[in-house]
Amino acid sequence: MVRTIAIASGKGGVGKTSIAVNTAVTLSKMGHRVALLDADFGMANAHIMLDQKVELSLQDLLENDVSVENIICETSSGVKLIPGGSGVIELLNLDSSKRWEIIQSIQPLESQIDYLIVDAPAGGSDASIEFASACGNVVVVLVGEPTSFMDAYSFIKALHLEKDYSRVSVVVNLSNSEHEAAKSFESFKSIVTKFLDIEMNFAGWLPTSKELKNSIISRKPVALSKSPSHRLLNKNFTNITEMLINSKPLTVNGIEFFKV
Ligand SMILES: Nc1ncnc2c1ncn2[C@@H]1O[C@H](COP(=O)(O)OP(=O)(O)OP(=O)(O)O)[C@@H](O)[C@H]1O
Ligand SMILES: [Mg+2]
């Protein structure tokens, strides 16, 4: 069975793609077969972080009947990348039948991968809710700011009320310490669980790190680096990845990857 994990947030720019890419690479380093679906259609950028040249994208799958096996990129990191298309206006506003087509189109990968990581678009749009709820685990990336709390809450509320989704994991990014991250998680959890009957798990944290920023500029994910200066950050990514491996997937009601 393929494990499917969405990385979502509500607020944009909080580190979803960085976490999706490095979690996928960490899983791959652990020996798992991993695909990363860049579901930020039209504004996809996971390929940039992986330093991967992209020839075809989901646009070709939707418009020209190209199969997922033909658009997939075997990146040097070991992760199979399903590119979402960048600078493609047509992909920005896909309707739900096109989203359904994309979810169905991934099906042939079932025997080729152990994990599908989905880098979800920011916000509480239908696209982010549908792609997240099609996964057995949803990770919400949070930063310790009221705006992030508000947007993450709105996202979780929509996921719960519209899709009956009942559990999310939270990664706190841009924190000064594990203690501060755990405190942010606890206060967020108390807000969410006051209003919604949803289980919330702390899946780990990341510090504010110039090394992570530089890894994007140099297009080399820190999870691929053996540099001593990346050791601590990689410990955080390993912890997050292990938490996700050990988190039991939900039985999804409705459209789900690999159940079509
Ligand atoms: N822990 C961190 N330390 C320092 N910089 C970070 C960290 N996490 C993310 N960033 C920086 O924040 C910016 C946004 O990161 P990223 O693209 O991963 O976010 P995103 O949530 O995917 O954004 P979008 O919503 O636009 O898709 C990048 O410039 C990245 O370098
Ligand atoms: Mg992103």
Side-chain angles (χ1 to χ4, degrees):
M1 194 188 84
V2 181
R3 291 279 313 272
T4 52
I5 302 171
I7 314 290
S9 65
K11 190 174 185 306
V14 293
K16 289 180 297 302
T17 305
S18 306
I19 292 170
V21 165
N22 283 289
T23 303
V25 172
T26 304
L27 278 166
S28 171
K29 277 196 323 190
M30 288 172 172
H32 301 289
R33 300 171 304 164
V34 188
L36 171 62
L37 169 62
D38 194 338
D40 206 353
F41 308 120
M43 298 209 284
N45 54 15
H47 64 287
I48 298 173
M49 293 194 193
L50 285 163
D51 198 17
Q52 177 66 44
K53 218 168 141 207
V54 165
E55 307 277 345
L56 301 170
S57 73
L58 288 168
Q59 185 185 22
D60 300 279
L61 184 141
L62 291 173
E63 291 174 9
N64 306 324
D65 251 356
V66 179
S67 74
V68 69
E69 277 122 328
N70 285 322
I71 67 163
I72 216 161
C73 300
E74 301 285 348
T75 71
S76 58
S77 68
V79 172
K80 294 173 189 293
L81 175 69
I82 309 168
S86 322
V88 188
I89 293 165
E90 294 80 2
L91 287 176
L92 290 175
N93 297 304
L94 294 178
D95 61 24
S96 78
S97 69
K98 295 281 183 207
R99 293 195 287 270
W100 164 237
E101 232 179 277
I102 290 172
I103 290 172
Q104 268 189 315
S105 74
I106 310 290
Q107 184 77 32
L109 298 181
E110 187 166 23
S111 60
Q112 300 168 38
I113 57 172
D114 305 308
Y115 284 87
L116 175 72
I117 306 294
V118 179
D119 182 12
S125 64
D126 289 349
S128 51
I129 301 296
E130 274 178 26
F131 281 101
S133 65
C135 291
N137 290 87
V138 173
V139 175
V140 173
V141 181
L142 190 73
V143 302
E145 296 166 3
T147 45
S148 168
F149 276 39
M150 192 62 227
D151 293 357
Y153 174 75
S154 304
F155 171 81
I156 293 170
K157 183 177 172 188
L159 192 68
H160 184 57
L161 297 183
E162 288 174 26
K163 304 290 179 184
D164 206 18
Y165 211 87
S166 58
R167 191 200 310 142
V168 293
S169 299
V170 174
V171 169
V172 178
N173 192 11
L174 299 169
S175 189
N176 290 315
S177 66
E178 181 165 14
H179 179 69
E180 185 187 284
K183 261 176 67 182
S184 289
F185 168 72
E186 286 304 332
S187 47
F188 182 61
K189 179 181 169 181
S190 70
I191 295 167
V192 175
T193 52
K194 196 163 158 187
F195 300 106
L196 305 172
D197 182 17
I198 188 156
E199 191 186 326
M200 311 265 299
N201 303 314
F202 183 50
W205 72 287
L206 290 168
T208 304
S209 153
K210 69 176 185 324
E211 284 84 9
L212 190 63
K213 215 169 180 62
N214 288 340
S215 77
I216 298 175
I217 296 165
S218 63
R219 301 181 176 207
K220 185 172 182 220
V222 288
L224 281 177
S225 164
K226 292 197 170 67
S227 158
S229 63
H230 291 152
R231 202 170 289 147
L232 274 177
L233 204 48
N234 274 328
K235 183 90 186 74
N236 291 59
F237 279 121
T238 303
N239 290 343
I240 291 168
T241 306
E242 283 172 349
M243 285 295 284
L244 295 176
I245 290 172
N246 294 326
S247 171
K248 209 168 159 265
L250 276 182
T251 310
V252 174
N253 306 319
I255 295 174
E256 187 180 1
F257 283 103
F258 305 109
K259 293 268 167 59
V260 288

